[in-house]
Amino acid sequence: MSEEVIVKYCSPTLAGIKTGSLFSCSYDSKNEVCAFLRELNISLRNKGVRFMPLRFKDKKVLIYAYRPSKLLPEVQGKEADELLSRRGYCTQNCGRCLSRLMERLSESDEFPHEIGLFLGYPVSDVKGFIENNACGAKCVGCWKVYGDADQAQKQFERFKKCTKVYQQQFERGRPLTRLTVAR
């Protein structure tokens, strides 16, 4: 795992325009991954971004980068809360929500469909994905869209532009701590 990988997959979250990002990478030592994430969290503690391993499996770790200040309001919205509560989540606490997500990830090789809510996807799209068994989307970008396709396309472009700018800045030597916006 490297800062370059983090910039590639997490730029919109680092910029504060996306609730969360997921990425997977290979690892040799679980302890090294945890130590790297601990140091990363310390260096970004004042920026409002957290990194945590959600699952270790087959020498791959699934890492979740997120903004707790954005996550809690999103999962506590009426529709999101209903969807998550039906799946055993307690949306009153970020830690408990993330623990339940980790349990759900360990129960199956598939991602639990509600994971989109943790990434900041619109509730209508997450519900549409579940109700339509991932079929019949209006468009596809960072996620499958069942609601407002125009708004989603704008978000996809915004995320793409952000990632491009962040990668360019990182290649020019701007450190991750300076790329991460405080929120």
Side-chain angles (χ1 to χ4, degrees):
M1 183 180 350
S2 67
E3 288 187 0
E4 183 177 7
V5 170
I6 292 168
V7 170
K8 180 178 180 178
Y9 293 109
C10 303
S11 291
T13 301
L14 298 175
I17 61 174
K18 190 169 185 283
T19 301
S21 301
L22 280 176
F23 66 99
S24 179
C25 58
S26 299
Y27 72 93
D28 292 322
S29 163
K30 189 174 178 179
N31 288 338
E32 286 177 16
V33 170
C34 292
F36 178 83
L37 294 178
R38 190 170 27 261
E39 289 301 314
L40 185 61
N41 283 328
I42 290 169
S43 71
L44 297 176
R45 73 177 165 260
N46 296 327
K47 303 287 187 158
V49 177
R50 302 290 178 270
F51 288 80
M52 67 180 295
L54 292 180
R55 177 173 71 187
F56 289 90
K57 186 174 181 180
D58 301 328
K59 287 298 194 182
K60 290 224 178 245
V61 58
L62 180 65
I63 296 174
Y64 179 50
Y66 71 106
R67 290 189 171 266
S69 65
K70 290 184 81 139
L71 177 61
L72 202 53
E74 289 205 22
V75 299
Q76 288 180 336
K78 185 179 186 314
E79 288 184 280
D81 180 68
E82 288 173 5
L83 191 148
L84 291 170
S85 293
R86 286 193 306 265
R87 288 166 173 75
Y89 290 85
C90 172
T91 61
Q92 301 310 304
N93 178 290
C94 264
R96 289 177 64 191
C97 257
L98 291 170
S99 292
R100 178 63 181 145
L101 179 60
M102 292 169 74
E103 286 173 12
R104 297 271 292 150
L105 282 162
S106 71
E107 294 169 359
S108 170
D109 288 336
E110 307 265 326
F111 280 158
H113 299 316
E114 70 272 9
I115 201 167
L117 297 173
F118 291 82
L119 302 173
Y121 300 169
V123 177
S124 60
D125 294 334
V126 174
K127 286 175 74 174
F129 185 88
I130 293 168
E131 292 166 1
N132 294 291
N133 295 313
C135 297
K138 292 179 181 177
C139 67
V140 178
C142 300
W143 65 86
K144 289 189 175 188
V145 178
Y146 296 86
D148 188 338
D150 291 335
Q151 185 61 35
Q153 291 286 7
K154 288 176 188 172
Q155 277 293 78
F156 298 158
E157 285 305 312
R158 191 173 176 211
F159 294 162
K160 186 176 178 179
K161 182 178 180 180
C162 175
T163 300
K164 181 179 178 184
V165 168
Y166 268 53
Q167 286 178 312
Q168 289 170 343
Q169 289 296 312
F170 186 75
E171 288 169 7
R172 291 184 183 130
R174 180 163 261 177
L176 195 60
T177 54
R178 296 261 330 270
L179 286 172
T180 306
V181 174
R183 296 257 183 209

